[in-house]
Amino acid sequence: MALSLRAAASLAAPPAHLRPRRRATSMVRATVSPPPALDSRRRPQNVSGEFFVDHRCIDCATCRWMAPEVFNRVDDQSAVAAQPTSGEIRTKALQALLSCPTGSIHTDKPTKDILQVQNTFPLPIDDDLPGVYLCGYHSENSYGATSYLIVHPEGNIMIDSPRYTPKLANQLEKLGGARYMFLTHIDDVADHRKWAERLKCERIIHSGDVEDITADVEWKLTGNGPWNIGTDFELIHTPGHTEGSVCLLYKPLKALFTGDHVAKSEESDDLNLFLMYSKQSVGVQLDSIRKLLDVDFEWFLPGHGYRIRYEDVYAKNSAIEALLADYTN
Ligand SMILES: [Zn+2]
């Protein structure tokens, strides 16, 4: 599969006061052993039980969308709202534990099951997105950004960089590794160098986001595109969040990987541009979202947070128009 750098012709301990008190009667002291001290890392906002989130959580929301049955947001950080009630949900909680960028999710005692759960990565996303996987193992360097793998007969594409771990590398190699690593923008490059060395993939980033840490990236897109990778993928320049922000469209599946250009609000089904993080220009970012009205897709697969699937392209456009109306009125 050839990467065309030219624009396509058409489109192209808890505090002491929280510790359980021992009853001070001499009668029970002799016969009842003291309760175990609570793990000092455990946020008090967690419900009691096997899983808990610690105080170092950076509120990236990864666990909340990976295992919503277990985790929620309390006081600006994640917490365990309900302990898993089935094996399937417990597996999701362990997948979230492995994906947490700060290693803030724990079980009260070591579990051997974690070894089997490591083998579940990368994770298929949906029956309607065949060959599209979540890499997991989010990196703190990218504030917990999501990395995806697309398995494709003309060469796999990794989108943004997970935390480097040899275990994940082994798992990715079982699926053919990656021919390209497409970097949506400068914030989510994490361990790109280590991955490039291990997988021998060629990295792609827009020249607007070339800094010291990305200077050695093999392919630097210039201009406004769009650019193509083979016939199935189009790269769409969507500046605003950063000058070099680019979305990847997987045309046959109508799936758009948006990096930090646009994502779903956690509180509602609405789209959100997170303009407080717009590093280049709010106006430019709004122009870039308008550009997506002309793009044929139904899935938003963001760099952070929840995925969205619209019923069809018209529903997608209604959501974008509602978003634009919110910001321009
Ligand atoms: Zn960003």
Side-chain angles (χ1 to χ4, degrees), residues 7-230:
S10 49
L11 229 202
H17 69 279
L18 290 179
R19 290 192 196 142
R21 281 193 201 149
R22 259 197 274 174
R23 294 170 65 181
T25 64
S26 57
M27 284 178 63
V28 294
R29 194 186 306 147
T31 53
V32 178
S33 50
L38 291 176
D39 191 313
S40 62
R41 299 169 299 175
R42 183 186 281 262
R43 297 186 70 221
Q45 291 87 344
N46 295 284
V47 297
S48 62
E50 181 188 15
F51 286 85
F52 67 92
V53 178
D54 72 24
H55 296 269
R56 296 181 308 114
C57 166
I58 56 172
D59 195 29
C60 74
T62 299
C63 62
R64 306 199 289 266
W65 59 259
M66 288 189 80
E69 302 88 348
V70 175
F71 301 97
N72 71 357
R73 186 170 194 249
V74 187
D75 300 337
D76 302 329
Q77 289 178 304
S78 291
V80 173
Q83 296 292 339
T85 51
S86 69
E88 186 186 348
I89 294 175
R90 187 167 179 276
T91 297
K92 288 169 77 172
L94 290 169
Q95 289 165 341
L97 181 154
L98 288 169
S99 298
C100 174
T102 50
S104 288
I105 301 171
H106 309 272
T107 51
D108 54 4
K109 49 185 180 295
T111 172
K112 284 186 296 188
D113 299 340
I114 203 74
L115 300 173
Q116 289 164 320
V117 174
Q118 285 177 337
N119 292 330
T120 64
F121 286 92
L123 308 173
I125 295 178
D126 190 285
D127 289 345
D128 289 336
L129 290 175
V132 181
Y133 297 83
L134 295 167
C135 293
Y137 297 89
H138 297 218
S139 170
E140 189 173 6
N141 291 337
S142 58
Y143 194 68
T146 304
S147 169
Y148 301 90
L149 179 76
I150 299 174
V151 172
H152 191 275
E154 294 177 26
N156 298 347
I157 302 176
M158 186 185 240
I159 298 171
D160 288 327
S161 170
R163 176 172 14 116
Y164 182 80
T165 74
K167 183 69 190 175
L168 177 61
N170 291 339
Q171 293 293 110
L172 296 178
E173 283 169 348
K174 286 179 193 169
L175 291 172
R179 179 170 178 184
Y180 294 113
M181 173 182 262
F182 167 67
L183 300 166
T184 58
H185 69 301
I186 188 71
D187 298 335
D188 295 350
V189 301
D191 293 332
H192 70 103
R193 281 195 182 126
K194 287 182 184 168
W195 286 108
E197 281 169 24
R198 171 71 183 251
L199 301 177
K200 311 293 180 213
C201 53
E202 297 172 33
R203 294 159 292 172
I204 304 165
I205 197 167
H206 192 276
S207 55
D209 277 17
V210 172
E211 298 178 7
D212 287 350
I213 56 165
T214 48
D216 60 342
V217 167
E218 289 77 12
W219 294 93
K220 300 179 179 81
L221 307 173
T222 55
N224 299 319
W227 308 266
N228 290 323
I229 305 176

